[in-house]
Amino acid sequence: MIRFLILSGYFELMMYLMASGKLNQYINVHYSYLAEISMVLALFLSVVQLINWVKASKQKHRNSPKMILKNSMSYLLLALPLFVCLFLPYESLDASVVNNKGFVFPLSKESGTSDDGTTVQYLKPNTSSYFTKSDYDDLMKKTLKTYQNSSLIEVTEKNYMEVMELIYDYPSEFIGKKIRLTGFVYNNASGEQNYHFLFRFGIIHCIADSGVFGLMIQTNQDYKDNTWLSVEGTIISQFFDVYKRNIPAIQVDQAQEVDQPSNPYVYRSF
């Protein structure tokens, strides 16, 4: 009976996440079909367990205390994700979460490992670990050709992660080009220098490899954290004291405050 309840709980959880639109805040939307498959499997297996329970209830048998303890531990582990989703509050990511997650800009690399073992990425979405070096280089060079002859880089929700990765991989190819970008403002102070960034939270495969991605912006106007802007400007190379090197940035020509999108996340497509 407990197995039936756990499996039916997974089915109902998947139904809720898809119906409420919250599933895309946990996994890449391009993999939503996997959640649909798992939901169907959970329903099927829950029916199987219900049938088995009905059959077993007609037979009288007793389990040893050791077996009961073993089964209880197994059920607890299986049910743990359900308890997490049901009882832990969910909060949309914003600039305050960036600070809480320790947005410290590692000096020698743009990604690191958080305390819970998940990959933490900053500025550039790095997908190189999912390919061999030669395959990754070939893929990025092929994708780069899409933008090489464009005088204006139009960054949308669909190509956001792709463009950010290309700009950081091949900055010289983009310096001097116009760019149009939407994101939320994050202000970071390093010593006496204040840096301003335009970010989006992005998911490569799932929330475990998510990060905050975007570009530094150069603007004469100050904006508060979490202000959503649509900016147009020129890609430049700007020295970033924390990294001790130049990184791509936007010299803003026009900026307009906009409403936060209904889904503030962006996803990597392959």
Side-chain angles (χ1 to χ4, degrees):
M1 184 62 175
I2 297 177
R3 295 177 184 177
F4 164 73
L5 293 174
I6 292 175
L7 288 167
S8 61
Y10 275 110
F11 168 74
E12 294 170 5
L13 176 62
M14 288 296 104
M15 283 280 289
Y16 166 73
L17 291 176
M18 285 190 281
S20 64
K22 292 182 178 180
L23 181 65
N24 56 22
Q25 297 170 0
Y26 292 93
I27 65 171
N28 190 321
V29 292
H30 299 101
Y31 303 137
S32 58
Y33 68 93
L34 295 176
E36 295 171 359
I37 293 174
S38 68
M39 182 183 70
V40 173
L41 287 175
L43 177 61
F44 172 75
L45 292 174
S46 66
V47 173
V48 171
Q49 291 300 321
L50 180 61
I51 295 172
N52 290 340
W53 175 75
V54 172
K55 290 180 179 179
S57 64
K58 297 178 181 179
Q59 303 175 1
K60 294 183 178 180
H61 63 278
R62 296 180 63 183
N63 292 325
S64 66
K66 184 177 180 180
M67 182 61 68
I68 293 174
L69 178 61
K70 181 179 179 181
N71 288 339
S72 299
M73 293 299 296
S74 299
Y75 296 148
L76 181 61
L77 290 175
L78 288 172
L80 184 59
L82 293 177
F83 291 134
V84 171
C85 290
L86 289 173
F87 298 110
L88 288 185
Y90 173 82
E91 184 177 347
S92 295
L93 300 180
D94 58 17
S96 63
V97 179
V98 179
N99 281 323
N100 294 336
K101 286 174 71 67
F103 194 66
V104 294
F105 298 108
L107 295 178
S108 60
K109 54 185 178 180
E110 289 159 6
S111 64
T113 302
S114 65
D115 293 337
D116 59 5
T118 58
T119 300
V120 181
Q121 296 199 16
Y122 307 102
L123 299 181
K124 167 198 167 183
N126 187 357
T127 61
S128 61
S129 60
Y130 301 103
F131 304 90
T132 64
K133 187 178 186 307
S134 59
D135 287 342
Y136 177 76
D137 290 342
D138 290 343
L139 175 63
M140 298 309 293
K141 287 177 181 178
K142 180 179 179 181
T143 310
L144 177 63
K145 293 179 181 179
T146 306
Y147 304 96
Q148 277 183 316
N149 296 324
S150 302
S151 57
L152 173 64
I153 308 299
E154 186 76 40
V155 183
T156 65
E157 293 183 353
K158 291 183 178 181
N159 70 359
Y160 188 99
M161 301 272 276
E162 175 181 277
V163 171
M164 288 302 112
E165 190 164 13
L166 286 170
I167 290 177
Y168 282 102
D169 277 353
Y170 306 98
S172 61
E173 297 286 346
F174 290 90
I175 300 300
K177 289 182 180 291
K178 293 288 185 179
I179 187 171
R180 187 177 293 133
L181 177 69
T182 298
F184 67 86
V185 174
Y186 174 73
N187 298 297
N188 179 268
S190 175
E192 297 181 356
Q193 183 68 44
N194 291 319
Y195 297 101
H196 313 287
F197 296 85
L198 204 63
F199 283 145
R200 294 289 293 266
F201 281 98
I203 295 175
I204 297 177
H205 287 298
C206 65
I207 198 68
D209 57 20
S210 63
V212 56
F213 309 114
L215 295 167
M216 183 191 299
I217 58 174
Q218 297 294 321
T219 176
N220 294 327
Q221 187 171 347
D222 290 330
Y223 297 95
K224 294 181 179 179
D225 283 349
N226 298 320
T227 302
W228 280 82
L229 294 179
S230 177
V231 306
E232 184 173 332
T234 304
I235 300 176
I236 61 174
S237 181
Q238 179 69 31
F239 184 78
F240 186 32
D241 183 64
V242 179
Y243 275 170
K244 305 300 180 185
R245 63 180 174 86
N246 288 338
I247 64 171
I250 303 176
Q251 180 63 56
V252 176
D253 298 324
Q254 302 176 28
Q256 181 180 359
E257 293 190 26
V258 296
D259 294 331
Q260 175 180 309
S262 56
N263 181 9
Y265 296 80
V266 288
Y267 310 90
R268 186 67 163 94
S269 59
F270 296 96

